[in-house]
Amino acid sequence: MNMKHGSPYGTHRVLEPLGVLPQGAWKIDNSMEIYDNEILIDVSALNIDSASFTQIKSEAHGDEAKVAEIVRGIVAQRGKQHNPVTGSGGMLIGTVAQIGPALVGKCDLKVGDKIATLVSLSLTPLRIDEISKIHLQKDQIEINGQAILFETGLYAKLPDDIDEKLALAILDVAGAPAQTARLVQPGDTVVVIGGGGKSGTLCMYEAKKRAGADGCVIGVSPFEKDCRRMKDLGWADHALQVDATNALALMEAVAEVTDGKMADVVINCVNIPNTEMGSILATRQQGKIYFFSMATSFTAAALGAEGVGKDVEMIVGNGYATGHAEFALGLLRESASLRKLFEQLYV
Amino acid sequence: MNMKHGSPYGTHRVLEPLGVLPQGAWKIDNSMEIYDNEILIDVSALNIDSASFTQIKSEAHGDEAKVAEIVRGIVAQRGKQHNPVTGSGGMLIGTVAQIGPALVGKCDLKVGDKIATLVSLSLTPLRIDEISKIHLQKDQIEINGQAILFETGLYAKLPDDIDEKLALAILDVAGAPAQTARLVQPGDTVVVIGGGGKSGTLCMYEAKKRAGADGCVIGVSPFEKDCRRMKDLGWADHALQVDATNALALMEAVAEVTDGKMADVVINCVNIPNTEMGSILATRQQGKIYFFSMATSFTAAALGAEGVGKDVEMIVGNGYATGHAEFALGLLRESASLRKLFEQLYV
Ligand SMILES: NC(=O)c1ccc[n+]([C@@H]2O[C@H](COP(=O)([O-])OP(=O)(O)OC[C@H]3O[C@@H](n4cnc5c(N)ncnc54)[C@H](OP(=O)(O)O)[C@@H]3O)[C@@H](O)[C@H]2O)c1
Ligand SMILES: NC(=O)c1ccc[n+]([C@@H]2O[C@H](COP(=O)([O-])OP(=O)(O)OC[C@H]3O[C@@H](n4cnc5c(N)ncnc54)[C@H](OP(=O)(O)O)[C@@H]3O)[C@@H](O)[C@H]2O)c1
């Protein structure tokens, strides 16, 4: 067998436009014959990014068959699960099927290992043979199919002590709590927008741990059930039932519970567009905003802050942070209530 | 005269969709009868944001009459100069024509003062009566028209010692050198992508000042003339003639001049899309990227960094920083060569 050698970044799979990296490409080659520095994965489930899945579900009017058709259509068109509307992807779990000879000894994997990819589906060559089940509430799709991991592609071996589906759910958003840990200082007032969601719940937990007893953690959701849960979990000093797309209402609600001081740090974990302005108005001058949401518009954030004279540092939610997978899984081992909740929701 | 009172943020002028702030609105009310907390401005010139003007010029195939038609069309449709393709605006200069009675004593302006707005045109009610001259190379358009400044809208009085057109050009990008001053530490290796442009030149100057003799400032442009100018000005330790949309080429060029250490700080000042990945690959692990470019895609940055396992802090280029207008004008007073260059280009 005479295998070809690929670029460590996967540029050899880019079909159009040529010269860009796989994430930026419109279409990549998803043939499953590997290059000598690629890993072939038998895929069992996809976790579709929440901003993407929310858009797909709404386009499909919640119809499962239609969701399947849209997902298949995207992969057929682009060679990857890269939502053309939201620009986002998700991640996958599966079993190592083949390891390119140039990687043997260079990576700690062997054929048969169960792994989750830690790079976005928006750059991962994917072939779907069958969609066996769609979990509309969990953003997860069980499939038969295959995928390719490039030489620089990150992955995590699935742990023995945590259910696969749970690991898939947590690892999808592992960057968010890791960044929260870096950003929040003792005594800080922290607002988590979408604090009742998957990444939001992890951020609420981590924020309370970091901000400590002198700090104040405020969760935001438009839904009563989410607010109730945030209060019940015990990490929210306040749970504000506000629609974050209503910027002035959010500002006023945060002003009220902070005596007008506003937030030192805002963490945006929503799955819908148009919450940049609410995030900006909820932040104090010289405060920080972490936009984890993939529905964030760059220009709306940059020009929105300028428009109201807010000197805030706005950070793009990098999905990767050193050690983020271990960090996120560690939270489940650390907190029994976090684990119980996520087992209820995702297993 | 019985004037109505408006929201300090200008929401009273939003026509659609209701409930958002003016920057996020598709269309705002540009009738020039002021509310009691607004300022009316007789506008003399617009500085169109470079990402926007580049897009408009390309749509118009460089034809002046067509550029005028597109600009008029946007304002007619939206009540503001808010480019629907790039999402960005620009700023304006003009003369104060009327001050709402609720603002008298609250602001330091009087009728007849010459000012520049420091809020984006993407949220500024604007009426164009006549386009008198288009400067294709300067991103500037001379007009007769009027505009409205909201109560929270920032402005700068035009200085006596600096030409109006020059002030307009500089103030448009005032945020970039102010943020550079915050980000760059002594000894840092700094890459300025688009370092031959307007904001890029200011950032090169400020970066060299901050990084100092032990630091290394690297300018990037695909154009030989820009590279030559960067070298001539004396703030560039290296001027790399590379197209920043070619991510791997940029990475290799930066690797070569830094012995593989890559940049501590990357400042992105381009006016074209698809340079996120190049910026990411040019940065070292744990380094910082400041995206000033309005052509930045949020998802391309977030997923691109994840895709190559780069733990970098990516910052959204907030157009505002405390004192940024005075800071930027101060650079012209401080450096004779900076001033000479900008007078050649913009006066
Ligand atoms: N930066 C990255 O690398 C990265 C990686 C993965 C995911 N993400 C993004 O992170 C975001 C959150 O992901 P996730 O998996 O945590 O999503 P999620 O579980 O769906 O959480 C989103 C939360 O936002 C809430 N929400 C909806 N509309 C809202 C509104 N108007 N105001 C306030 N809250 C509202 C949702 O409530 P309901 O569910 O009750 O509607 C939900 O609780 C998504 O945008 C996703 O795309 C980013
Ligand atoms: N964040 C904010 O608040 C804010 C405010 C104002 C402006 N901006 C944005 O900041 C950016 C720069 O504005 P500016 O006024 O400084 O623009 P500018 O003067 O037009 O500078 C852009 C520079 O990028 C260069 N360039 C073009 N293609 C390139 C490539 N492939 N690789 C490397 N460099 C390339 C351009 O070269 P040529 O000119 O020779 O083509 C030019 O020198 C724009 O995107 C603008 O929209 C942001």
Side-chain angles (χ1 to χ4, degrees):
Chain A
M1 193 164 56
N2 214 331
M3 281 184 183
K4 281 185 286 184
H5 186 70
S7 146
Y9 297 106
T11 48
H12 54 285
R13 292 227 175 223
V14 171
L15 296 179
E16 65 171 276
L18 291 177
V20 304
L21 270 79
Q23 207 282 326
W26 172 254
K27 186 170 184 155
I28 60 178
D29 169 14
N30 66 346
S31 61
M32 289 298 150
E33 204 173 300
I34 65 167
Y35 286 64
D36 75 355
N37 57 342
E38 291 182 336
I39 292 170
L40 180 69
I41 305 165
D42 286 330
V43 181
S44 57
L46 308 176
N47 189 102
I48 310 287
D49 172 81
S50 180
S52 170
F53 207 54
T54 303
Q55 187 277 324
I56 291 172
K57 281 191 291 189
S58 124
E59 191 181 321
H61 303 292
D63 178 64
E64 273 192 27
K66 183 80 188 145
V67 167
E69 191 189 316
I70 295 172
V71 167
R72 275 176 186 291
I74 292 173
V75 175
Q77 241 194 331
R78 310 192 67 173
K80 53 181 179 172
Q81 181 49 47
H82 189 181
N83 184 322
V85 180
T86 62
S88 57
M91 33 90 73
L92 62 83
I93 51 173
T95 308
V96 175
Q98 192 184 358
I99 298 174
L103 296 182
V104 174
K106 273 183 154 186
C107 74
D108 61 350
L109 290 179
K110 56 181 192 316
V111 170
D113 279 350
K114 291 205 159 181
I115 62 169
T117 56
L118 297 177
V119 290
S120 173
L121 290 179
S122 67
L123 58 88
T124 304
L126 176 69
R127 200 193 64 221
I128 298 182
D129 296 319
E130 187 202 4
I131 293 187
S132 44
K133 195 161 174 48
I134 294 184
H135 302 271
L136 284 182
Q137 297 312 316
K138 300 180 187 175
D139 304 352
Q140 294 188 354
I141 303 185
E142 294 178 37
I143 69 160
N144 284 318
Q146 290 191 310
I148 298 280
L149 195 65
F150 303 128
E151 184 173 342
T152 56
L154 300 174
Y155 58 85
K157 285 198 218 184
L158 290 180
D160 296 327
D161 62 331
I162 292 173
D163 184 275
E164 251 178 64
K165 294 284 171 50
L166 179 51
L168 176 61
I170 291 289
L171 291 174
D172 175 46
V173 295
Q179 300 288 358
T180 302
R182 291 181 184 177
L183 284 170
V184 176
Q185 302 298 321
D188 273 356
T189 295
V190 184
V191 169
V192 181
I193 308 183
K198 190 165 70 174
S199 57
T201 302
L202 295 170
C203 291
M204 292 287 291
Y205 171 77
E206 188 62 31
K208 189 64 211 170
K209 221 169 76 185
R210 300 277 161 177
D214 295 342
C216 174
V217 175
I218 302 166
V220 176
S221 168
F223 307 105
E224 207 211 319
K225 69 162 195 344
D226 283 3
C227 289
R228 202 171 335 111
R229 193 165 73 197
M230 282 192 255
K231 292 294 276 180
D232 289 348
L233 283 166
W235 309 312
D237 294 287
H238 304 277
L240 305 177
Q241 193 181 338
V242 191
D243 179 347
T245 63
N246 187 334
L248 294 177
L250 180 55
M251 176 181 80
E252 280 154 20
V254 172
E256 199 185 313
V257 296
T258 61
D259 293 324
K261 292 197 201 85
M262 312 312 285
D264 300 300
V265 179
V266 169
I267 298 170
N268 185 316
C269 291
V270 302
N271 52 3
I272 46 124
N274 302 321
T275 63
E276 299 84 3
M277 208 61 224
S279 307
I280 291 164
L281 292 179
T283 313
R284 69 163 169 83
Q285 287 288 359
Q286 259 76 41
K288 294 188 182 195
I289 305 173
Y290 182 69
F291 285 108
F292 190 67
S293 164
M294 279 293 153
T296 306
S297 152
F298 185 90
T299 48
L303 298 173
E306 185 194 71
V308 296
K310 261 288 169 74
D311 188 356
V312 287
E313 183 167 317
M314 296 181 286
I315 303 168
V316 177
N318 186 345
Y320 175 70
T322 316
H324 67 329
E326 268 317 299
F327 184 88
L329 294 170
L331 299 181
L332 292 182
R333 298 185 180 114
E334 185 177 294
S335 164
S337 40
L338 203 55
R339 183 158 184 162
K340 196 172 140 219
L341 172 70
F342 277 89
E343 281 177 346
Q344 274 164 16
L345 295 176
Y346 296 102
V347 179
Chain B
M1 193 164 58
N2 212 332
M3 279 183 186
K4 280 186 285 183
H5 186 71
S7 145
Y9 297 106
T11 48
H12 54 284
R13 292 229 175 222
V14 172
L15 295 179
E16 64 169 281
L18 291 176
V20 304
L21 270 82
Q23 206 281 325
W26 173 252
K27 185 171 184 154
I28 60 178
D29 169 15
N30 66 346
S31 61
M32 290 297 150
E33 205 174 299
I34 65 168
Y35 286 63
D36 75 355
N37 56 342
E38 292 182 335
I39 292 170
L40 181 69
I41 304 165
D42 288 330
V43 181
S44 57
L46 308 176
N47 189 101
I48 310 288
D49 172 80
S50 178
S52 170
F53 207 54
T54 303
Q55 186 277 325
I56 291 171
K57 280 191 292 190
S58 124
E59 192 181 323
H61 303 291
D63 178 62
E64 274 192 27
K66 183 78 189 148
V67 167
E69 191 189 315
I70 294 172
V71 167
R72 276 177 186 289
I74 292 174
V75 175
Q77 242 194 331
R78 310 194 66 173
K80 54 181 179 174
Q81 181 48 46
H82 188 179
N83 184 322
V85 180
T86 63
S88 58
M91 32 92 73
L92 62 82
I93 51 173
T95 308
V96 175
Q98 191 185 357
I99 298 174
L103 295 182
V104 174
K106 273 184 154 186
C107 74
D108 61 350
L109 291 179
K110 55 181 194 315
V111 170
D113 278 350
K114 292 206 159 181
I115 62 169
T117 55
L118 297 177
V119 290
S120 172
L121 289 178
S122 67
L123 58 87
T124 304
L126 176 70
R127 201 192 64 221
I128 297 180
D129 296 320
E130 188 202 4
I131 292 186
S132 44
K133 195 160 172 51
I134 295 184
H135 302 272
L136 284 182
Q137 298 313 316
K138 300 180 187 175
D139 305 351
Q140 294 189 353
I141 303 184
E142 294 178 38
I143 69 160
N144 283 320
Q146 290 191 309
I148 299 280
L149 195 64
F150 303 128
E151 184 173 342
T152 56
L154 300 174
Y155 57 84
K157 286 198 218 183
L158 290 180
D160 295 328
D161 62 331
I162 292 172
D163 184 275
E164 251 177 64
K165 294 284 173 51
L166 179 52
L168 177 61
I170 291 289
L171 291 174
D172 175 46
V173 295
Q179 299 288 357
T180 302
R182 292 180 184 178
L183 284 170
V184 177
Q185 302 298 321
D188 274 354
T189 294
V190 184
V191 169
V192 182
I193 307 182
K198 191 165 70 172
S199 57
T201 302
L202 295 169
C203 291
M204 293 285 292
Y205 172 77
E206 188 62 30
K208 189 66 212 172
K209 221 169 77 185
R210 299 277 160 178
D214 295 341
C216 173
V217 174
I218 302 164
V220 175
S221 167
F223 307 104
E224 208 211 317
K225 70 163 194 345
D226 282 4
C227 289
R228 205 175 328 113
R229 191 164 77 198
M230 283 191 255
K231 292 294 277 180
D232 289 347
L233 282 166
W235 309 312
D237 294 288
H238 305 277
L240 306 177
Q241 192 179 339
V242 190
D243 179 346
T245 63
N246 188 335
L248 294 177
L250 180 55
M251 176 182 80
E252 281 155 20
V254 172
E256 197 185 317
V257 295
T258 61
D259 291 324
K261 291 199 201 84
M262 312 311 285
D264 300 299
V265 179
V266 169
I267 298 170
N268 184 316
C269 291
V270 303
N271 52 3
I272 45 122
N274 302 321
T275 63
E276 299 83 2
M277 208 61 226
S279 307
I280 290 164
L281 292 179
T283 312
R284 68 163 168 84
Q285 288 288 359
Q286 259 76 41
K288 293 187 184 198
I289 305 173
Y290 182 69
F291 285 108
F292 191 66
S293 163
M294 279 293 154
T296 306
S297 153
F298 185 89
T299 48
L303 297 174
E306 186 195 70
V308 296
K310 259 291 168 73
D311 188 355
V312 287
E313 183 169 317
M314 296 182 284
I315 304 169
V316 176
N318 185 346
Y320 175 69
T322 316
H324 68 328
E326 268 315 299
F327 184 88
L329 294 170
L331 299 181
L332 292 182
R333 299 185 180 112
E334 186 176 293
S335 163
S337 39
L338 204 55
R339 183 158 185 161
K340 195 171 140 221
L341 172 69
F342 277 88
E343 280 176 346
Q344 274 164 13
L345 296 176
Y346 296 102
V347 179

